[in-house]
Amino acid sequence: MSDGRVVDPTAPDPVDGRRTLVRLTDRARRAVLARAGRPADEVITRAVADADRAERVIALLDELAELLSPATDSAASASMTGRPPTRSQG
């Protein structure tokens, strides 16, 4: 749509009328996918003032991505964080 909206018209959820179903426009979907593919390191480094703590946060997020990925699919972990999976020490 050329009017700048990021969602198409909404509709009530047929299962739970309290919820609203929202569909993203193609433009919004492309923007979300573009951001999802970027590592969050820079944002984390800006948000966490102490450099050592920021590195720890990044390492913990990498470890979490690995833990949440199927054991046989280390490529999925890399795609979630933008970096190769790390191995936990301990």
Side-chain angles (χ1 to χ4, degrees):
M1 299 191 156
S2 61
D3 61 8
R5 291 188 300 169
V6 295
V7 295
D8 282 335
T10 60
D13 184 327
V15 176
D16 182 348
R18 298 171 294 176
R19 295 180 4 180
T20 300
L21 300 178
V22 176
R23 290 186 337 157
L24 293 177
T25 62
D26 289 338
R27 177 178 163 207
R29 188 173 288 108
R30 285 190 303 271
V32 168
L33 291 174
R35 283 185 167 224
R38 292 188 288 191
D41 297 21
E42 184 179 320
V43 174
I44 293 168
T45 302
R46 283 195 317 257
V48 180
D50 181 81
D52 291 334
R53 291 188 81 143
E55 285 299 317
R56 181 69 179 135
V57 169
I58 292 167
L60 288 168
L61 289 172
D62 285 342
E63 184 177 348
L64 178 61
E66 185 176 337
L67 290 171
L68 294 175
S69 297
T72 59
D73 190 5
S74 61
S77 175
S79 70
M80 292 170 85
T81 64
R83 292 182 300 281
T86 58
R87 295 288 172 221
S88 177
Q89 297 177 347

